[in-house]
Amino acid sequence: QVQLVESGGGLVQAGGSLRLSCAASGRTFSSYAMGWFRQAPGKEREFVAAIRWSGGSTYYADSVKGRFTISRDNAKNTVYLQMNSLKPEDTAVYYCAADRAGGSYLWSVNEYDYWGQGTQVTVSS
């Protein structure tokens, strides 16, 4: 079992930056692929970014490519999402997720086995 706890959300003006963290429990964290998703009010949860267990491969939604960076520190059991040049449309609850299998569909919510409770990010215009 893996427990995920997100932090780092908040209110920021457009053009600003935030760094989200996701702390994971469990000794097998380093073997999991990790992802970040977000959900705005009235919308479905959508893929933001993902990273494989080694950190050697990362993936991004087109809407955040060039602005967001996902990274991980396996020694600290933590995955990060650095968000720069934030826009009002980035406003959402952000969730981290863990995938035991490290499969091919890291953009899909169905790929992941564990989810955090989410952290709110609000970008004002």
Side-chain angles (χ1 to χ4, degrees):
Q1 190 76 7
V2 172
Q3 292 186 325
L4 304 173
V5 179
E6 303 96 335
S7 62
L11 173 64
V12 64
Q13 288 189 330
S17 298
L18 283 175
R19 188 175 83 154
L20 305 184
S21 298
C22 173
S25 65
R27 291 176 292 178
T28 55
F29 168 82
S30 61
S31 66
Y32 292 180
M34 299 295 296
W36 284 98
F37 288 75
R38 66 187 181 186
Q39 189 167 17
K43 295 188 176 181
E44 293 187 352
R45 194 167 297 190
E46 66 174 4
F47 172 72
V48 175
I51 187 168
R52 294 221 177 261
W53 70 271
S54 65
S57 296
T58 56
Y59 309 89
Y60 297 94
D62 288 342
S63 58
V64 307
K65 202 170 293 184
R67 300 188 298 123
F68 291 11
T69 302
I70 188 171
S71 62
R72 67 190 296 162
D73 185 338
N74 288 339
K76 295 183 178 180
N77 280 12
T78 302
V79 63
Y80 304 98
L81 185 68
Q82 177 67 44
M83 306 185 295
N84 299 328
S85 303
L86 282 161
K87 305 175 181 180
E89 51 264 42
D90 294 318
T91 295
V93 177
Y94 283 70
Y95 299 89
C96 72
D99 171 26
R100 289 178 299 183
S104 300
Y105 303 101
L106 293 180
W107 45 264
S108 172
V109 295
N110 297 320
E111 179 71 21
Y112 294 84
D113 304 288
Y114 305 104
W115 292 84
Q117 292 301 305
T119 185
Q120 176 70 47
V121 171
T122 303
V123 184
S124 64
S125 57

